[in-house]
């Protein structure tokens, strides 16, 4: 944050060092933050922050032990007010460094494109060329896009620490930083610098923390901001790019027209519909979510139609127009004599009026630009799309094809992708809630007094029997518990929402903790009770016509659940009534797999392996049943929760598990890191499409030698998984006092106090690890820089396996592991992700957090075990990969981590000191110092920003 000399000319420096512009940007933003700090807090505070910065850099980059001692002294001497300023300064520096890195990624990508280089891996052009070389035809590619469904699903979780106000300020800084890459006059450059300075000052004066806990409504608004920033513009643009790339790689028509893609990428959301463990989600939040989603997309359409009307000033005196456009113009409420010869404008004014009427009908309360006059609302989004198509067709037929591309084509595409609902809202609830509701319904209807106590076979028989009966269990004349009334009301609200906003508004019902077939049948029956599943019969001998509105989706989360997944689905699909329902869904069935809970339950290695096995077994079961499998991956931000690069993760999926169908969650800080910058958001969407395309269509040749080799690899993984599972479970669930260690040596208690999410951090009011949500579990380990869920158990597993046998056996086994790393995408991706986690792990910093454990014997015992496993894991990883340094295969990320950690160290050390003070006050019964409390929460924000994938 010290004052730096004026940066040299970018072009000249960049020719010597590709990262030179990044370094210049970080220096620039750091210098401006330093200037703001001096202006706002004074020279004395600036001097303290600068001394700490220089000492931390010396300690981190030069490995100077004296610098480490000096850093500790400096931090312990800080007053409470100075502590807050230091924490804020280093936290904001992490945020600004993230902005600079994102801008540099965009810069390097543009430089690659401008140089005319071959398409980069992960791009659509690269994937299509690869498929072409492999003998995949253009027809197969077009069929893929016709049938595919790729759906990123945004979720809100208890570790999302960013305020929308901070995101908005950072978005403005990002735009100004990007503008500095363009040619500018000295005055323009000075104005840019002044605006950057002003926005950083605004950031400094903006409260980083929330005063009150987030509500579900707040989480909905936060998610909607990413649509305005990225999805509404970038997703339609991505479709255009894909169409152009397909036409270039696989020419089809001589007239140059591209075959338009169907909306195969569709956004999803859990925010407002995910009830599992969140008592704040109900029928009202579901309706509010759809109202706000609908208002957001209709506001976008209204703005675009208004702008389109200004642009299409075409006179029918000069050029012809289709009768269909003339008809639209005649029905328009615009009767101005000034526009009598401008049918496109009049038609668009009519479309605008219909959109405004639609917005009001769907719950909008404030349309900023009033329509000229009233018009009938659209019955559905397809009507709006059809009228846009009428305008496009007329332009193309009357020498105006060039006018379609700039805005109209994008708007029509957006209408097909987003409809009037914007994103599909998933519903989710825990299986035990459904069981309680049906237990009450059965008992009150005098059908079964104790449903919950029945065996699985009896439950299944009873549920199938009830599904076949025409009468309902529910009666409006009987009083039910609040829980039962709430659950039934939510399901009725889902039906109403579908009728109002369209069938794509809600179409999935996910069951957490699915452990049996009855867990799935229960939700079919609850749909029947609320009109979402209907059977109609035209006569005694006529077959029933079944209408099922919501797909019932099991979520398999824990290790035991994953092991039972294929058996449960095979039994379910063998039931004739269920088979008919799946047929009505188009012979496709979705299954969700939970990465977070399986990791917390069994550790990193076992979780990944059990997920792989479950997917492979599900493919076999679905193939036998003749049903298409769609997997929904419940991935988080951290590697311990299934995080890591999506592109590599999808390509590492077992053969047959993708097939053009994939949904995956985007959670916590990952949403911000992927989608708060439009260019990076576009790139991440492209990576998702490209990976799905490659995984689905790349030929998987039946090679006996390769199959045998894979079988050998899988046998080794099974052995390693068993060993890793035992090591992990022994530490986390079988070591006396481990729970006390975790709650003391991490900021989990302080995270639970943060106003960062509407969902409680724990499912129950206990300190049991089993009851703690997987998200704050992983987040806490990240804060203390151990990141234990992303690596623990690997070292013990590999080491013990290698050392069974003589020296020649060890050599052979090590050669097998190295072959697995080279040849098997699953193992290579697993080790790559673990390498990244270990690069962010810092045992020296973690030891400071261990000091928070008051029981010295417990502290020394557990931290020593973790340290030994950490060293063992690093040694084993290096033996397998051959890399002695972390991230040797990704030097850009290695430099990024090395540079930013000098600024994270003070935050970690201060967090430990603040937690000590905070907990000491709690023990002594003294009044809590609000500044200490705020300092802890600010440090949590700053560390999360510095580590990035922590949620």
């Amino acid at each position: 944050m010290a004052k730096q000399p004026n940066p040299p000319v970018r072009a000249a420096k960049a020719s010597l060092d590709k990262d030179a512009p990044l370094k210049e940007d970080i220096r620039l933003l750091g210098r401006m933050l330093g200037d703001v700090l001096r202006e706002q807090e004074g020279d004395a505070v600036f001097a303290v922050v600068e001394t700490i910065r220089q000492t931390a850099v010396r300690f981190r980059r030069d490995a100077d032990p004296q610098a480490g001692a000096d850093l500790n002294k400096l931090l312990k001497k800080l007053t409470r007010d100075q502590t807050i300023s230091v924490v804020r300064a280093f936290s904001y520096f992490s945020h600004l460094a993230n902005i600079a890195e994102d801008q540099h990624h965009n810069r390097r990508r543009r430089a690659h494109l401008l140089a005319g280089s071959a398409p980069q891996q992960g791009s659509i052009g690269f994937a299509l060329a690869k498929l072409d070389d492999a003998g995949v035809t253009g027809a197969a590619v077009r069929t893929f896009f016709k049938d595919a469904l790729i759906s990123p699903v945004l979720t809100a979780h208890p570790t999302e620490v960013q305020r929308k106000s901070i995101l908005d300020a950072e978005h403005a800084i990002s735009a100004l930083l990007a503008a500095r890459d363009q040619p500018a006059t000295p005055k323009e450059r000075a104005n840019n610098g002044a605006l950057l300075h002003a926005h950083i000052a605004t950031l400094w004066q903006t409260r980083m923390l929330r005063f009150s806990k987030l509500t579900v409504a707040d989480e909905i608004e936060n998610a909607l901001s990413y649509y305005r920033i990225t999805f509404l513009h970038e997703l339609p643009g991505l479709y255009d790019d894909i169409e152009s790339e397909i036409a270039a790689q696989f020419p089809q028509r001589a007239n140059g027209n591209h075959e338009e893609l169907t909306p195969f990428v569709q956004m999803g959301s859990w925010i407002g519909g995910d009830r599992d463990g969140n008592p704040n989600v109900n029928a009202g939040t579901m309706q509010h979510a759809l109202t706000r989603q609908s208002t957001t997309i209709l506001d976008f359409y209204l703005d675009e139609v208004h702008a389109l009307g200004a642009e299409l000033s075409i006179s029918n005196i000069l050029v012809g127009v289709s009768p269909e456009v003339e008809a639209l113009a005649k029905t328009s409420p615009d009767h101005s004599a000034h526009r009598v010869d401008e049918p496109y404008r009049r038609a668009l004014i009519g479309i605008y009026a219909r959109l405004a009427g639609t917005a009001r009908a769907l719950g909008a309360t404030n349309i900023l630009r009033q329509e000229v006059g009233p018009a009938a609302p659209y019955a559905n989004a397809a009507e709006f799309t059809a009228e846009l198509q009428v305008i496009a067709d007329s332009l193309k037929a009357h020498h105006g094809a060039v006018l379609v591309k700039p805005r109209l084509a994008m708007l029509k595409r957006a209408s097909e992708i987003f409809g009037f609902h914007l994103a599909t809202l998933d519903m989710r609830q825990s299986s035990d809630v459904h069981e309680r509701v049906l237990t009450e319904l059965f008992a009150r209807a005098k059908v079964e007094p104790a449903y919950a106590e029945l065996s699985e076979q009896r439950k299944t028989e009873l549920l199938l029997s009830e599904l076949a009966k025409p009468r309902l269990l529910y009666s409006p004349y009987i009083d039910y518990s609040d829980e039962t009334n709430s659950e039934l009301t939510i399901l009725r609200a889902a039906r109403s929402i579908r009728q109002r906003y369209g069938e794509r508004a809600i179409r999935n019902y996910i069951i957490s903790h699915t452990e049996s077939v009855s867990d799935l049948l229960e939700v079919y029956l609850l749909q029947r009770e609320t009109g979402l599943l209907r059977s109609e019969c035209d006569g005694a001998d006529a077959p029933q016509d079944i209408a099922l509105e919501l797909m019932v989706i099991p979520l398999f989360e824990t290790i035991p659940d994953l092991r039972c997944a294929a058996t449960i689905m095979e039994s379910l699909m063998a039931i004739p009534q269920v088979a008919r329902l799946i047929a009505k869904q188009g012979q496709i069935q979705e299954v969700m797999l939970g990465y977070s809970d399986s990791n917390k339950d069994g550790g990193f290695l076992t979780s990944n392996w059990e997920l792989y096995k479950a997917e492979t077994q599900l493919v076999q079961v679905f193939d036998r049943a003749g049903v298409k499998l769609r997997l929904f991956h419940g991935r988080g931000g951290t590697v311990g929760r299934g995080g890591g690069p999506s592109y590599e993760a999808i390509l590492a999926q077992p053969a047959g598990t993708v097939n053009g169908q994939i949904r995956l969650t985007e959670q916590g800080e990952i949403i911000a890191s992927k989608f708060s910058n439009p260019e990076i958001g576009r790139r991440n969407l492209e990576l998702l499409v490209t990976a799905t395309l490659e995984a689905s269509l790349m030929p998987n040749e039946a090679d006996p030698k390769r199959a045998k080799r894979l079988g050998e690899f899988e046998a080794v993984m099974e052995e390693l998984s068993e060993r890793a599972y035992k090591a992990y479970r022994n530490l986390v669930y079988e070591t006396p006092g481990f729970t006390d260690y975790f709650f003391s040596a991490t900021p989990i208690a302080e995270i639970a106090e943060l106003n960062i999410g509407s969902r409680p951090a724990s499912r129950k009011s206990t300190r049991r690890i089993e009851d703690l949500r997987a998200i704050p579990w992983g987040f806490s380990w990240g804060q203390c820089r151990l990141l234990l869920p992303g690596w623990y158990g690997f070292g013990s597993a590999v080491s013990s396996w290698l050392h069974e046998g003589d020296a020649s056996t060890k050599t052979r086994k090590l050669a097998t592991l190295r072959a697995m790393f080279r040849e098997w995408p699953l193992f290579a991706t697993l080790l790559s992700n673990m390498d990244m986690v270990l690069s962010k792990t810092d045992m020296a910093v973690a030891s400071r957090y261990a000091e928070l454990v008051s029981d010295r014997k417990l502290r020394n015992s557990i931290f020593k075990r973790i340290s030994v496993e950490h060293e063992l894991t690093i040694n084993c990883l290096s033996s397998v990969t051959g890399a002695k340094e972390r991230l040797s295969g990704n030097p850009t990320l290695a430099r990024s981590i090395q540079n930013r950690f000098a600024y994270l160290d003070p935050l970690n050390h201060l967090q430990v000191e603040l937690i000590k003070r905070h907990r000491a006050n709690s023990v002594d019964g003294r009044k809590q110092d609000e500044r200490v409390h705020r300092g802890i929460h600010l440090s949590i924000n700053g560390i999360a920003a510095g580590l990035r994938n922590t949620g």
Side-chain angles (χ1 to χ4, degrees), residues 545-595:
D545 182 28
I546 305 169
L548 175 67
E549 299 200 22
L550 305 181
M551 183 183 287
V552 177
I553 301 169
L555 168 51
F556 299 107
E557 300 172 271
T558 65
I559 300 300
D561 293 347
L562 289 170
R563 289 171 176 169
C564 294
T567 301
I568 290 172
M569 294 309 298
E570 187 168 37
S571 299
L572 180 77
M573 293 187 293
I575 298 170
Q577 288 150 282
V578 175
R580 289 202 300 274
L581 295 174
I582 292 174
K584 294 293 287 187
Q585 296 169 177
Q587 208 63 13
I588 186 168
Q589 174 62 46
E590 187 170 299
V591 173
M592 184 172 183
L593 302 176
Y595 288 65

XYZ file of all heavy atoms in Angstrom, residues 545-595:
392
model
N -54.697 -41.661 -17.328
C -53.827 -40.602 -17.842
C -53.227 -39.906 -16.625
O -53.957 -39.355 -15.804
C -54.634 -39.623 -18.698
C -53.740 -38.549 -19.274
O -52.544 -38.830 -19.474
O -54.228 -37.434 -19.498
N -51.909 -39.948 -16.508
C -51.233 -39.435 -15.311
C -50.619 -38.081 -15.627
O -49.988 -37.891 -16.666
C -50.131 -40.401 -14.851
C -50.699 -41.799 -14.639
C -49.473 -39.915 -13.574
C -49.642 -42.849 -14.437
N -50.782 -37.140 -14.725
C -50.131 -35.832 -14.834
C -49.290 -35.626 -13.586
O -49.816 -35.587 -12.476
C -51.174 -34.730 -14.963
N -47.970 -35.540 -13.763
C -47.044 -35.291 -12.656
C -46.331 -33.983 -12.928
O -45.658 -33.838 -13.950
C -46.031 -36.432 -12.535
C -44.924 -36.230 -11.481
C -45.511 -36.244 -10.075
C -43.851 -37.295 -11.625
N -46.467 -33.016 -12.023
C -45.920 -31.683 -12.287
C -44.483 -31.518 -11.814
O -43.716 -30.769 -12.423
C -46.826 -30.620 -11.654
C -48.233 -30.634 -12.229
C -48.982 -29.337 -11.995
O -48.335 -28.303 -11.776
O -50.228 -29.364 -12.036
N -44.098 -32.169 -10.712
C -42.751 -31.991 -10.175
C -41.983 -33.316 -10.209
O -42.464 -34.329 -9.696
C -42.800 -31.488 -8.723
C -43.587 -30.210 -8.456
C -43.500 -29.846 -6.975
C -43.074 -29.058 -9.308
N -40.794 -33.295 -10.806
C -39.945 -34.479 -10.757
C -39.469 -34.684 -9.321
O -38.986 -33.746 -8.674
C -38.743 -34.323 -11.694
C -37.853 -35.570 -11.733
S -36.380 -35.383 -12.771
C -37.085 -35.425 -14.413
N -39.582 -35.905 -8.831
C -39.148 -36.243 -7.476
C -37.697 -36.707 -7.557
O -37.387 -37.702 -8.223
C -40.039 -37.339 -6.865
C -39.541 -37.727 -5.489
C -41.486 -36.851 -6.793
N -36.807 -35.978 -6.892
C -35.365 -36.180 -7.057
C -34.739 -36.565 -5.714
O -34.796 -35.790 -4.756
C -34.694 -34.909 -7.598
C -35.311 -34.519 -8.948
C -33.187 -35.086 -7.709
C -34.916 -33.147 -9.431
N -34.135 -37.754 -5.634
C -33.452 -38.122 -4.389
C -32.108 -37.412 -4.268
O -31.421 -37.179 -5.275
C -33.245 -39.632 -4.556
C -33.107 -39.825 -6.032
C -34.015 -38.797 -6.661
N -31.736 -37.050 -3.054
C -30.411 -36.505 -2.774
C -29.695 -37.496 -1.861
O -30.103 -37.702 -0.711
C -30.509 -35.128 -2.113
C -29.233 -34.531 -1.493
C -28.075 -34.550 -2.473
C -29.494 -33.112 -0.989
N -28.649 -38.115 -2.398
C -27.842 -39.061 -1.626
C -26.607 -38.319 -1.126
O -25.810 -37.829 -1.934
C -27.456 -40.259 -2.495
C -28.650 -41.035 -3.010
C -29.024 -40.957 -4.344
C -29.405 -41.816 -2.150
C -30.120 -41.666 -4.823
C -30.507 -42.528 -2.618
C -30.872 -42.447 -3.950
N -26.447 -38.247 0.197
C -25.452 -37.339 0.770
C -24.320 -38.032 1.517
O -23.152 -37.747 1.267
C -26.143 -36.352 1.711
C -27.191 -35.501 1.014
C -27.994 -34.660 1.982
O -29.026 -35.146 2.485
O -27.576 -33.525 2.250
N -24.643 -38.883 2.469
C -23.605 -39.496 3.283
C -22.993 -40.690 2.557
O -23.514 -41.143 1.531
C -24.183 -39.966 4.628
O -25.133 -41.017 4.382
C -24.882 -38.819 5.354
N -21.895 -41.213 3.102
C -21.254 -42.382 2.498
C -22.224 -43.564 2.442
O -22.373 -44.196 1.375
C -19.961 -42.750 3.260
C -18.966 -41.589 3.229
C -19.341 -44.016 2.676
C -18.522 -41.148 1.867
N -22.932 -43.912 3.525
C -23.902 -45.013 3.424
C -24.990 -44.754 2.392
O -25.410 -45.676 1.679
C -24.473 -45.107 4.848
C -23.415 -44.534 5.731
C -22.783 -43.447 4.921
N -25.460 -43.505 2.287
C -26.498 -43.173 1.302
C -25.986 -43.399 -0.118
O -26.691 -43.945 -0.980
C -26.936 -41.711 1.446
C -27.656 -41.440 2.758
O -28.039 -42.412 3.433
O -27.818 -40.259 3.109
N -24.753 -42.966 -0.388
C -24.181 -43.137 -1.726
C -24.063 -44.617 -2.083
O -24.287 -45.012 -3.225
C -22.809 -42.465 -1.803
C -22.797 -40.932 -1.788
C -21.379 -40.403 -1.617
C -23.416 -40.369 -3.065
N -23.713 -45.435 -1.098
C -23.556 -46.865 -1.348
C -24.889 -47.548 -1.639
O -24.910 -48.611 -2.268
C -22.858 -47.511 -0.149
C -21.385 -47.119 -0.038
C -20.749 -47.583 1.253
N -19.313 -47.254 1.273
C -18.532 -47.352 2.344
N -19.047 -47.762 3.504
N -17.247 -47.042 2.272
N -25.974 -46.942 -1.194
C -27.305 -47.533 -1.413
C -28.032 -46.923 -2.606
O -29.123 -47.380 -2.967
C -28.172 -47.346 -0.166
S -27.582 -48.245 1.282
N -27.459 -45.875 -3.210
C -28.170 -45.094 -4.229
C -28.668 -45.952 -5.387
O -29.841 -45.879 -5.775
C -27.266 -43.971 -4.745
N -27.799 -46.763 -5.960
C -28.191 -47.554 -7.140
C -29.275 -48.562 -6.796
O -30.230 -48.758 -7.566
C -26.964 -48.267 -7.711
N -29.159 -49.196 -5.631
C -30.160 -50.180 -5.213
C -31.520 -49.527 -5.034
O -32.553 -50.065 -5.463
C -29.725 -50.854 -3.895
O -28.459 -51.482 -4.095
C -30.744 -51.888 -3.454
N -31.544 -48.355 -4.408
C -32.805 -47.644 -4.183
C -33.446 -47.271 -5.513
O -34.650 -47.481 -5.731
C -32.565 -46.392 -3.311
C -32.221 -46.808 -1.877
C -33.793 -45.470 -3.330
C -31.775 -45.662 -0.994
N -32.637 -46.728 -6.443
C -33.200 -46.305 -7.723
C -33.660 -47.489 -8.564
O -34.667 -47.407 -9.274
C -32.181 -45.462 -8.493
C -31.850 -44.128 -7.846
S -33.317 -43.138 -7.405
C -34.058 -42.874 -9.009
N -32.940 -48.596 -8.489
C -33.362 -49.786 -9.230
C -34.705 -50.284 -8.720
O -35.606 -50.615 -9.506
C -32.313 -50.885 -9.099
C -32.589 -52.099 -9.963
C -31.406 -53.033 -10.045
O -30.699 -53.189 -9.023
O -31.183 -53.601 -11.129
N -34.870 -50.313 -7.399
C -36.143 -50.750 -6.810
C -37.262 -49.780 -7.165
O -38.383 -50.198 -7.474
C -36.001 -50.857 -5.284
O -35.019 -51.800 -4.929
N -36.967 -48.495 -7.142
C -37.990 -47.489 -7.442
C -38.478 -47.621 -8.878
O -39.686 -47.633 -9.142
C -37.420 -46.087 -7.207
C -38.386 -44.932 -7.489
C -39.390 -44.785 -6.348
C -37.632 -43.617 -7.695
N -37.542 -47.696 -9.819
C -37.920 -47.723 -11.233
C -38.591 -49.034 -11.637
O -39.226 -49.098 -12.695
C -36.687 -47.458 -12.101
C -36.145 -46.044 -11.949
S -34.802 -45.623 -13.106
C -33.501 -46.707 -12.536
N -38.464 -50.065 -10.805
C -39.123 -51.340 -11.085
C -40.594 -51.331 -10.703
O -41.343 -52.240 -11.091
C -38.408 -52.468 -10.344
N -41.040 -50.318 -9.969
C -42.445 -50.215 -9.567
C -43.262 -49.705 -10.753
O -42.977 -48.624 -11.289
C -42.594 -49.258 -8.362
C -41.819 -49.808 -7.149
C -44.055 -49.031 -8.012
C -41.719 -48.821 -6.003
N -44.265 -50.430 -11.207
C -45.016 -50.025 -12.419
C -45.588 -48.609 -12.336
O -45.530 -47.859 -13.327
C -46.129 -51.083 -12.501
C -45.563 -52.280 -11.812
C -44.712 -51.743 -10.701
N -46.151 -48.242 -11.184
C -46.725 -46.891 -11.071
C -45.659 -45.820 -11.270
O -45.895 -44.797 -11.910
C -47.382 -46.721 -9.695
C -48.675 -47.504 -9.526
C -48.892 -47.917 -8.086
O -48.283 -48.860 -7.599
N -49.774 -47.212 -7.398
N -44.479 -46.050 -10.701
C -43.391 -45.083 -10.841
C -42.868 -45.081 -12.277
O -42.562 -44.023 -12.832
C -42.258 -45.394 -9.843
C -41.071 -44.466 -10.081
C -42.755 -45.266 -8.413
N -42.775 -46.250 -12.881
C -42.306 -46.340 -14.269
C -43.192 -45.503 -15.194
O -42.697 -44.852 -16.128
C -42.276 -47.793 -14.715
N -44.502 -45.508 -14.934
C -45.417 -44.701 -15.762
C -45.153 -43.205 -15.546
O -45.212 -42.408 -16.490
C -46.870 -45.036 -15.433
C -47.309 -46.414 -15.915
C -48.829 -46.493 -16.062
N -49.514 -46.229 -14.797
C -49.759 -47.156 -13.874
N -49.364 -48.409 -14.066
N -50.403 -46.852 -12.766
N -44.879 -42.837 -14.318
C -44.587 -41.427 -14.027
C -43.292 -40.985 -14.707
O -43.206 -39.879 -15.252
C -44.489 -41.209 -12.515
C -45.781 -41.422 -11.717
C -45.509 -41.327 -10.229
C -46.838 -40.397 -12.118
N -42.282 -41.841 -14.673
C -41.017 -41.506 -15.332
C -41.218 -41.397 -16.840
O -40.623 -40.518 -17.500
C -39.938 -42.547 -14.972
C -39.577 -42.443 -13.485
C -38.689 -42.363 -15.834
C -38.637 -43.516 -12.988
N -42.061 -42.247 -17.392
C -42.364 -42.162 -18.826
C -43.001 -40.820 -19.165
O -42.704 -40.229 -20.213
C -43.284 -43.314 -19.230
N -43.863 -40.333 -18.282
C -44.495 -39.012 -18.507
C -43.479 -37.879 -18.445
O -43.706 -36.799 -18.979
C -45.594 -38.772 -17.467
C -46.794 -39.710 -17.583
C -47.583 -39.460 -18.861
C -48.370 -38.175 -18.805
N -49.263 -38.018 -19.970
N -42.344 -38.125 -17.776
C -41.263 -37.131 -17.698
C -40.345 -37.193 -18.919
O -39.328 -36.484 -18.957
C -40.407 -37.376 -16.447
C -41.152 -37.187 -15.140
C -40.385 -37.687 -13.928
O -40.838 -37.549 -12.801
N -39.219 -38.276 -14.143
N -40.675 -38.016 -19.894
C -39.830 -38.162 -21.068
C -38.775 -39.230 -20.891
O -37.719 -39.193 -21.540
N -39.053 -40.179 -20.032
C -38.153 -41.311 -19.757
C -36.790 -40.813 -19.269
O -35.733 -41.338 -19.614
C -38.002 -42.177 -21.015
C -37.693 -43.651 -20.744
C -38.798 -44.382 -19.982
O -39.911 -43.884 -19.845
N -38.496 -45.564 -19.476
N -36.829 -39.788 -18.435
C -35.610 -39.244 -17.833
C -35.850 -39.064 -16.341
O -36.964 -38.708 -15.914
C -35.202 -37.913 -18.497
C -33.849 -37.437 -17.973
C -36.253 -36.825 -18.301
C -33.259 -36.293 -18.778
N -34.819 -39.314 -15.540
C -34.932 -39.173 -14.097
C -33.639 -38.563 -13.561
O -32.544 -38.967 -13.926
C -35.174 -40.526 -13.419
C -35.170 -40.508 -11.905
C -36.268 -39.643 -11.301
O -37.423 -39.716 -11.714
N -35.916 -38.816 -10.327
N -33.801 -37.596 -12.678
C -32.645 -36.929 -12.094
C -32.316 -37.530 -10.732
O -33.202 -37.935 -9.975
C -32.938 -35.431 -11.946
C -31.761 -34.592 -11.496
C -32.052 -33.096 -11.608
O -32.316 -32.618 -12.726
O -32.038 -32.421 -10.563
N -31.018 -37.569 -10.434
C -30.517 -37.991 -9.125
C -29.505 -36.952 -8.679
O -28.621 -36.558 -9.447
C -29.846 -39.381 -9.191
C -29.194 -39.724 -7.859
C -30.854 -40.450 -9.583
N -29.627 -36.493 -7.432
C -28.671 -35.520 -6.900
C -27.691 -36.210 -5.964
O -28.066 -37.059 -5.155
C -29.396 -34.396 -6.159
C -28.446 -33.306 -5.684
S -29.290 -31.861 -5.021
C -27.867 -30.809 -4.670
N -26.423 -35.819 -6.085
C -25.364 -36.366 -5.244
C -24.759 -35.240 -4.411
O -24.424 -34.175 -4.946
C -24.285 -37.021 -6.106
C -24.769 -38.154 -7.020
C -23.623 -38.651 -7.892
C -25.359 -39.297 -6.213
N -24.617 -35.491 -3.117
C -24.104 -34.477 -2.209
C -22.617 -34.640 -1.941
O -22.187 -35.671 -1.425
N -21.849 -33.644 -2.303
C -20.404 -33.684 -2.098
C -20.023 -33.248 -0.681
O -19.063 -33.751 -0.110
C -19.710 -32.763 -3.112
C -19.718 -33.278 -4.527
C -20.899 -33.435 -5.236
C -18.536 -33.600 -5.177
C -20.906 -33.902 -6.539
C -18.522 -34.066 -6.480
C -19.722 -34.213 -7.163
O -19.724 -34.681 -8.452
